[in-house]
C-alpha cells in the first residue's frame, strides 16, 4: 500500500525498469528533433513574455527532467508555450517594467506559485477545479490569445515600438508609431514569416513530390525555423544589420542556469495569486488534453492527478533555475510523439540537448534578429486561432457558442484575465439559467399499457383529479423555485385536484434546496387538501431522501413505478386498462 | 393580447373590480394591526441602517401604495426590514460618514438603484438570477445577519459607543468602551428586551389563561412593542432621562415626505451597484418565499416576474420619497395574513395609517429612548437565527451543510457582502465538484430478462469484449474530462475490448464540452480499434445530437434500447437469454 502510493508519485519507477536499447534509440531520435524545434521557440516565447532570451533556455531544461520523473504521459513535451507566455507578460507587466530585475523576479515567482498550486491540487486531488473551464471558453480563449499574440509581434516585424495588452491598445499604438518602420527589419520579418508559412503549407509536399522520403521531409519541416534562424543570423552578421536599426538578440549569457530563489515577498505573491491560478488551470487543461489524445492512440493511460503533480514539479523546477511558467505544448508534444518518443526519458534527453545548445550555441545567437523570432511566434500561434469553432458551436448550442464569442471579445478588448473570467462566469450563468427552467411534462397513460407519456406529444388518458408531472432534470437550487412555482400554478388552476404525483426517473440527485422546496410543496399542498406522491425515485436519490423529514411528513406515498401510483390512486382507471392489457396479450 | 399584457403589469385592475364592503372591512382591520407593528419597526430599522428615524417612516408609505398597485400577493407587507437595513448600513457606511447628507443620499441612491434592477429583472423576466442563492446560503446568511444585527444593537442597550461591521470588530469595540456604560440606559434596555421577550413567549398564554379571547390576546402581542415605546417615552420625559445620558430619538420632522431626487452621481452608482444587486436578490428571495407560502394557503397564485416589477416599483417609490431599500417582511406579512388582509389594499391602508402617524405622532416620539428601539430590533432578529438548520442540513447533505457554515462564518468574520459572495461561490463550486464525479455503473444483463444492472450490485452476466456503461448524470463541462478519463482507463485496462456502449437514460442534456469529449472518445477509440455505441438516448438529447458531427462520424450505432444494442453486438448472448425469456413466459 505504502509502496503503491510512493510509486504513484514516481511513475519513473515503473517505466525505467523496462528501459532498453530500443526505447533508448527511439527516445534519442525524438529528443534531437524536439531540441531543434525548441531552440528558436524557447527564445521566442521568452521574448513574448518580455524576458531575456536565456530565460527561455533555462525554462527548457530542469522542467523537462522533472516531468520525466513525475509525468505519466509518454509523449508530452513540457516547456515554454505561447499562451502561458502571453499570460505571464500580462500578469508581470502589471507589477514591474520590462527589462528590470523586478520583472524577471516576478516571472520567476509566478512560475514558483503556479508550481505550488499545481502540486497542491495534485496531492489533494483537486483536478476537478479545471472543470470550471468549459470547452467553449477554452476554445475562445486560445483563439483570442493567438490573435493577441500575433498582434503583439507585429511591432517586431516592422521594427517599431508599440505596446498594449488589449487589441485596441496594440493597434492604436502600432498606428501611432507606424512612421518608425525600419526597412531592413521589415524585409527580414516579412520574408521569414512568408518562408515559415510556406514550409508549413507546402514544404512537405514539395519535397515528397521530389522523392524525399516522408520521414526526412517531416524532419525538414521541423528544422525550418532553425534554418530561418541560421540564415538571418548570417545576414545580420554579414551586413552589420544591427548598425541599420535591426534589433538583434545580443549577448546571451553562456552556461547553465544557476540555482535561483524566487523573491520571498508576500505582497508580490498575493498580487500574483490569481494570475498564477489562471495560468495553472489553463496550462493543465491544455496539457491533459494533448496527453490524453496521444496516450489514447497507443492505448496507454495517464493519471490526471499525477499530471498535476508533474506539472507542479516542472514549474517549481523552472522557478528554481531562473525560468518562467511552463506547460505541456501541443505542437511539440505531437512532434515528439510522431518522432517516436517511447518514454518520458525523451524529455530528459531534450533537456540535455538544450543544455548543450546553451553551452555551445549562445555566442552564435548574438546576431539573431528579433524579427525572426517574431516570425516563428506569428506562424506558430495563428494555428491556434479557430474562429470556425464558433459556427460549429452555434449549430449545436447557441448558449455554448455565445460563451465562446464573449470569451473572445472580452479577451481581445479587456485582456487575458478578464477574458477568461468573463467566459467562466458566463458559462456557469448559462448553466444555472438552463437548469432553472428544466424541461417537464404533464403525463397521461398510453391506453392499454403501463406507460405514461407527455400529454402534449402523445394520445394519452389523463386521470381526473390527479396531476402527473415528470421533471427531466435533477432537482437542485436553480430550479427549486421553478418547481414550487410550477406546481402551485397548476394546483391553483385546477380546483378539483386531489393528488400530485411527481414522476422522478430523470432526477439524478436532489440537493438540500430542492428537498426544502419539496417539503414546502408538501406542506402547502396539504393546507390546500392535495396529497403529494413520488414515483420511480432512483436508488441513490431514495437513499438520501429516507434520511430527510420529507418522507415521514409526506401526505402521499412513494411508488416503485408510476403505474403502481396510478393503480393505487385511480384503481377504476388503471384497473380498466390493465384488463385491456390482459385482453391485448391474450389475443 | 395588448390588454392582457397591460393587465399583467397592473394586477390591481383584476382585484379592484371585485372589491366590496367585506374585503374593505377585512383590509382595514389588518391595516390597523400592521400599522401598530410598523411604527416602532420603521423607526428601529432606520436606526439600524444608520439613518434618521423619519426615513423609516417615509419608507413605509409610498412603497406600500406602489406594491398595492403592482403586487400579486394578497398578504405581503412591504417596508423596511432588518436584513436589508443591515446591508444598507454596510454598503453606505463604506462611502460616507453616518449623519451626513452624503450618507442619506447614498441610502436613497441604493434604494433607487435596487428599484431599477428589480424592475429590469421583472420586465426582462430575469428572475432566475435569484436562483444563484441556494437555500443553505440564504439560511446561513439570514442567521449570521441576525447575529450581526443583535450584536450591533448591544451598544444602544448599554449606552456605549461602538462600531464595526464584523463580529470581532463589534465585540472588540464594545469591550474597549465597556467603561462608558450608562446605568439608566442599561436599565431601560434590559427591561425592554426582557419585556418584549416575555410578550413573545408568555403573553398570549398568560392572557388566554385569564379568559381573554385569542384574537384580542394576539392583538396585545402585536401591540407589545408599541406599549414598550409608550412606557419608555413617558419615563424618559417624566424623569428627564436625556439629562442623565440616555440617548433619545429627538426631533423627528413632522409631515409627509417631500419628493426627492436620488444623487445623479455615476461614480456613486458604480460603487453601489454590487450592494444594490445583492440587496435586490436577497430581498426578492425573501419576498417570494413568504408570498408563496401565504398564497398557497388560500390556493391563490402569485407571479414571480411581476413580484420583481412590484418590488422594483416599491423601491423606486421609497427612493423618490426620501426612503431607503424596502422588501417584503416575513413577520409583518404573516401578521397581515393572520389579521385577515384580503387584498393588497390592506397595504395601502397601512400607508395611510403611517402617514397619519407621521403627521400626528412625531412630536410624541421626541423622548423615545434609542435603547427601546434597539430592544425591539434584538428581539425581532433573534428569531432569524436558526443554527439548528446546520445540523438538519448535515444529516441530508454534508456539502450543503458546509455551504451554510461557510456563509455564516464569512458573514460574521468579513461582513455581509463577502459572506454572501463566499456562500454563492462555494455552492457553485460544490455543484461543479459533485457534477465532475458523477455516479456511473458498469452494466451486465440480468439473466433471462431484457434488463441491465450494475455489475457491482446485482448478479448479472457481462458480455465479453463489450464495455457497457451507464452514467447517472447529464453530460456537461464539469464531467466531460471525467468521461474521457474513465473510458480511456477502462479501455486501456482491457485489451480484448471491441465495443463500448454508453447507456444514456439518465442523461438529460449534453453540452458542447461533453459533445466534444464524446467526439474525442469516438476518435480515440477508433484509433484503438474499438467502436462506440449509444443506447436509450432521450428524445430532446437526440434532437440535438443529430445536428452534430458525432452521429455521422460515430464508429458504432445509436440503439433505442440497451437490449437492442446487446442483441446486435452479441447475438449469441442475448439470443440465448431471449430464448430463456420466452421459455420463462411460456411456463
Amino acid at each position: 500500500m505504502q509502496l503503491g502510493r510512493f510509486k504513484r508519485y514516481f511513475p519513473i519507477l515503473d517505466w525505467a525498469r523496462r528501459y532498453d536499447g530500443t526505447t533508448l534509440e527511439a527516445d534519442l531520435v525524438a529528443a534531437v528533433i524536439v531540441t531543434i524545434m525548441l531552440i528558436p521557440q524557447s527564445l521566442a516565447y521568452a521574448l513574448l513574455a518580455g524576458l531575456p532570451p536565456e530565460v527561455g533556455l533555462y525554462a527548457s531544461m530542469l522542467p523537462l527532467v522533472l516531468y520525466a520523473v513525475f509525468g505519466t504521459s509518454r509523449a508530452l513535451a513540457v516547456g515554454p508555450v505561447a499562451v502561458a507566455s502571453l499570460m505571464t507578460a500580462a500578469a508581470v507587466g502589471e507589477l514591474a517594467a520590462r527589462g528590470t530585475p523586478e520583472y524577471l523576479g516576478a516571472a520567476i515567482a509566478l512560475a514558483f506559485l503556479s508550481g505550488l498550486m499545481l502540486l497542491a491540487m495534485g496531492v489533494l486531488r483537486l483536478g476537478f477545479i479545471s472543470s470550471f473551464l468549459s470547452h467553449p471558453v477554452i476554445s475562445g480563449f486560445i483563439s483570442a490569445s493567438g490573435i493577441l499574440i500575433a498582434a503583439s509581434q507585429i511591432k517586431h516585424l516592422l521594427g517599431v515600438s508599440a505596446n498594449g495588452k488589449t487589441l485596441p491598445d496594440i493597434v492604436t499604438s502600432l498606428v501611432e508609431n507606424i512612421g518608425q518602420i525600419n526597412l531592413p527589419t521589415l524585409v527580414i520579418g516579412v520574408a521569414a514569416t512568408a518562408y515559415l508559412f510556406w514550409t508549413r503549407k507546402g514544404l512537405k509536399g514539395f519535397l515528397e513530390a521530389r522523392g524525399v522520403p516522408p520521414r526526412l521531409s517531416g524532419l525538414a519541416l521541423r528544422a525550418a525555423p532553425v534554418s530561418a534562424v541560421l540564415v538571418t543570423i548570417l545576414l545580420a552578421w554579414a551586413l552589420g544589420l544591427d548598425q541599420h536599426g535591426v534589433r538583434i538578440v545580443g549577448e546571451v549569457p553562456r552556461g547553465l542556469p544557476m540555482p535561483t530563489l524566487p523573491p520571498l515577498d508576500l505582497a508580490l505573491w498575493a498580487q500574483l495569486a490569481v494570475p498564477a491560478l489562471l495560468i495553472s488551470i489553463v496550462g493543465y487543461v491544455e496539457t491533459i488534453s494533448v496527453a490524453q489524445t496521444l496516450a489514447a492512440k497507443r492505448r496507454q493511460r495517464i493519471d490526471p492527478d499525477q499530471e498535476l503533480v508533474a506539472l507542479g514539479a516542472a514549474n517549481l523546477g523552472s522557478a528554481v533555475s531562473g525560468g518562467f511558467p511552463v506547460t505541456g505544448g501541443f505542437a511539440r508534444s505531437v512532434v515528439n510523439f510522431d518522432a517516436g518518443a517511447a518514454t518520458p526519458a525523451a524529455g530528459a534527453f531534450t533537456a540535455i540537448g538544450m543544455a548543450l545548445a546553451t553551452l555551445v550555441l549562445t555566442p552564435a545567437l548574438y546576431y539573431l534578429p528579433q524579427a525572426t523570432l517574431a516570425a516563428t511566434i506569428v506562424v506558430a500561434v495563428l494555428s491556434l486561432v479557430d474562429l470556425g469553432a464558433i459556427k460549429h458551436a452555434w449549430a449545436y448550442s447557441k448558449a455554448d457558442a455565445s460563451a465562446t464569442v464573449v470569451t473572445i471579445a472580452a479577451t481581445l478588448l479587456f485582456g487575458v484575465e478578464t477574458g477568461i473570467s468573463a467566459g467562466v462566469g458566463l458559462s456557469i450563468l448559462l448553466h444555472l439559467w438552463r437548469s432553472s427552467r428544466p424541461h417537464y411534462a404533464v403525463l397521461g397513460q398510453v391506453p392499454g399499457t403501463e406507460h405514461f407519456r407527455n400529454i402534449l406529444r402523445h394520445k394519452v388518458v389523463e386521470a381526473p383529479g390527479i396531476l402527473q408531472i415528470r421533471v427531466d432534470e435533477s432537482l437542485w437550487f436553480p430550479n427549486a423555485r421553478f418547481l414550487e412555482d410550477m406546481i402551485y400554478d397548476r394546483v391553483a388552476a385546477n380546483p378539483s385536484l386531489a393528488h400530485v404525483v411527481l414522476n422522478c426517473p430523470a432526477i439524478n440527485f436532489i440537493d438540500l434546496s430542492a428537498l426544502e422546496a419539496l417539503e414546502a410543496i408538501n406542506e402547502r399542498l396539504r393546507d390546500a387538501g392535495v396529497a403529494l406522491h413520488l414515483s420511480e425515485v432512483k436508488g441513490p436519490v431514495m437513499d438520501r431522501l429516507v434520511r430527510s423529514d420529507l418522507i415521514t411528513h409526506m401526505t402521499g406515498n412513494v411508488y416503485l413505478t408510476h403505474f403502481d401510483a396510478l393503480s393505487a390512486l385511480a384503481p377504476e382507471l388503471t384497473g380498466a386498462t390493465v384488463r385491456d392489457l390482459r385482453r391485448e396479450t391474450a389475443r
Side-chain angles (χ1 to χ4, degrees), chain A:
Chain A
M1 179 62 205
Q2 286 302 311
L3 187 70
R5 197 157 202 179
F6 185 75
K7 268 183 146 172
R8 187 207 140 206
Y9 287 121
F10 292 92
I12 191 173
L13 298 177
D14 181 46
W15 58 261
R17 275 187 301 124
R18 279 165 299 183
Y19 207 75
D20 60 18
T22 326
T23 40
L24 175 67
E25 196 191 320
D27 286 345
L28 278 176
V29 170
V32 169
I33 295 174
V34 173
T35 304
I36 291 172
M37 192 175 174
L38 185 51
I39 293 171
Q41 283 194 354
S42 63
L43 300 170
Y45 294 146
L47 183 76
L48 170 58
L51 294 163
E54 67 272 19
V55 177
L57 297 170
Y58 299 165
S60 309
M61 297 180 217
L62 191 52
L64 282 67
V65 176
L66 287 170
Y67 184 82
V69 174
F70 294 102
T72 60
S73 163
R74 305 292 173 103
L76 193 76
V78 164
V81 302
V83 174
S85 302
L86 173 72
M87 294 176 82
T88 300
V92 175
E94 292 287 323
L95 305 176
R98 285 197 178 200
T100 60
E102 286 72 28
Y103 190 96
L104 176 59
I108 292 173
L110 191 63
F112 191 76
L113 216 53
S114 165
L116 283 183
M117 286 176 177
L118 288 161
L119 201 59
M121 285 195 266
V123 172
L124 302 175
R125 299 179 171 255
L126 293 179
F128 85 95
I129 288 176
S130 68
S131 64
F132 265 102
L133 286 184
S134 67
H135 289 207
V137 171
I138 276 284
S139 143
F141 181 69
I142 299 290
S143 283
S145 297
I147 295 171
L148 272 188
I149 294 169
S152 75
Q153 297 307 304
I154 294 177
K155 64 175 177 183
H156 294 300
L157 298 178
L158 302 178
V160 307
S161 54
N163 47 45
K165 280 172 197 162
T166 68
L167 195 59
D169 284 358
I170 295 172
V171 171
T172 312
S173 182
L174 281 173
V175 169
E176 277 171 5
N177 298 320
I178 199 78
Q180 306 170 357
I181 284 188
N182 176 270
L183 201 64
T185 305
L186 182 66
V187 171
I188 291 178
V190 170
T193 309
Y195 168 70
L196 291 173
F197 261 120
W198 173 75
T199 58
R200 287 222 162 193
K201 302 280 170 198
L203 179 64
K204 207 156 184 286
F206 177 83
L207 291 177
E208 283 173 14
R210 271 147 197 81
V212 179
R215 201 179 164 84
L216 210 60
S217 64
L219 186 60
L221 176 61
R222 305 306 166 205
V226 163
S227 65
V229 163
L230 284 178
V231 169
T232 53
I233 286 176
L234 287 173
L235 274 176
W237 169 73
L239 304 177
L241 289 182
D242 55 322
Q243 304 301 319
H244 296 84
V246 173
R247 285 176 170 238
I248 55 172
V249 164
E251 183 84 25
V252 179
R254 196 167 178 172
L256 297 178
M258 289 289 112
T260 315
L261 262 190
L264 286 172
D265 174 352
L266 278 185
L268 175 71
W269 287 29
Q271 286 172 303
L272 290 174
V274 171
L277 185 67
L278 291 177
I279 291 181
S280 301
I281 292 181
V282 171
Y284 174 63
V285 170
E286 284 300 284
T287 299
I288 204 87
S289 299
V290 60
Q292 284 284 27
T293 307
L294 300 178
K297 288 198 182 185
R298 292 192 190 145
R299 280 206 185 195
Q300 292 161 347
R301 71 178 292 284
I302 64 157
D303 173 349
D305 284 318
Q306 179 60 21
E307 285 304 291
L308 281 166
V309 172
L311 218 50
N315 272 292
L316 289 176
S318 187
V320 300
S321 58
F324 67 119
V326 296
T327 179
F330 184 79
R332 275 201 305 279
S333 299
V334 172
V335 168
N336 196 31
F337 180 87
D338 287 345
T343 75
F349 298 146
T350 304
I352 296 173
M354 294 302 292
L356 290 175
T358 306
L359 288 171
V360 177
L361 296 182
T362 40
L365 296 173
Y366 185 91
Y367 280 101
L368 172 58
Q370 293 193 352
T372 309
L373 292 179
T376 65
I377 295 178
V378 168
V379 174
V381 297
L382 283 182
S383 66
L384 300 179
V385 181
D386 176 18
L387 297 180
I390 301 173
K391 208 179 131 197
H392 189 244
W394 187 262
Y396 183 72
S397 155
K398 291 178 182 53
D400 281 320
S402 64
T404 308
V405 171
V406 166
T407 307
I408 292 177
T411 305
L412 292 180
L413 297 178
F414 305 110
V416 283
E417 284 169 27
T418 310
I420 203 152
S421 308
V424 169
L426 182 69
S427 53
I428 291 174
L429 195 68
L430 285 170
H431 175 68
L432 289 178
W433 177 73
R434 180 172 47 204
S435 294
S436 75
R437 22 185 281 174
H439 180 259
Y440 71 97
V442 175
L443 303 181
Q445 188 173 20
V446 182
T449 73
E450 298 190 6
H451 294 294
F452 295 80
R453 293 279 183 278
N454 191 340
I455 57 166
L456 300 177
R457 294 199 181 199
H458 300 270
K459 263 196 127 168
V460 290
V461 181
E462 281 187 269
I466 304 178
L467 175 64
Q468 309 167 58
I469 294 184
R470 187 193 72 225
V471 179
D472 292 334
E473 171 77 71
S474 291
L475 301 181
W476 59 299
F477 66 83
N479 54 37
R481 163 72 40 218
F482 159 88
L483 189 70
E484 289 197 57
D485 291 345
M486 186 259 287
I487 290 184
Y488 298 153
D489 259 19
R490 297 196 163 259
V491 171
N494 185 351
S496 68
L497 211 60
H499 299 280
V500 172
V501 186
L502 196 64
N503 181 226
C504 308
I507 295 171
N508 294 314
F509 65 90
I510 296 180
D511 81 352
L512 187 64
S513 300
L515 175 75
E516 290 178 358
L518 287 173
E519 287 173 343
I521 290 168
N522 179 56
E523 270 179 45
R524 291 170 200 178
L525 292 187
R526 188 190 55 209
D527 293 350
V530 178
L532 174 70
H533 310 265
L534 306 178
S535 70
E536 299 177 21
V537 180
K538 293 189 170 190
V541 176
M542 200 61 209
D543 290 349
R544 262 176 193 273
L545 283 187
V546 294
R547 299 210 304 266
S548 76
D549 290 345
L550 177 66
I551 300 299
T552 35
H553 295 157
M554 215 165 74
T555 46
N557 296 304
V558 181
Y559 295 97
L560 212 60
T561 74
H562 194 72
F563 182 76
D564 288 351
L566 267 279
S567 304
L569 302 176
E572 70 293 349
L573 227 88
T574 50
T577 55
V578 165
R579 273 194 302 277
D580 290 352
L581 184 68
R582 288 206 186 117
R583 214 173 302 141
E584 197 83 8
T585 325
R587 261 179 224 159

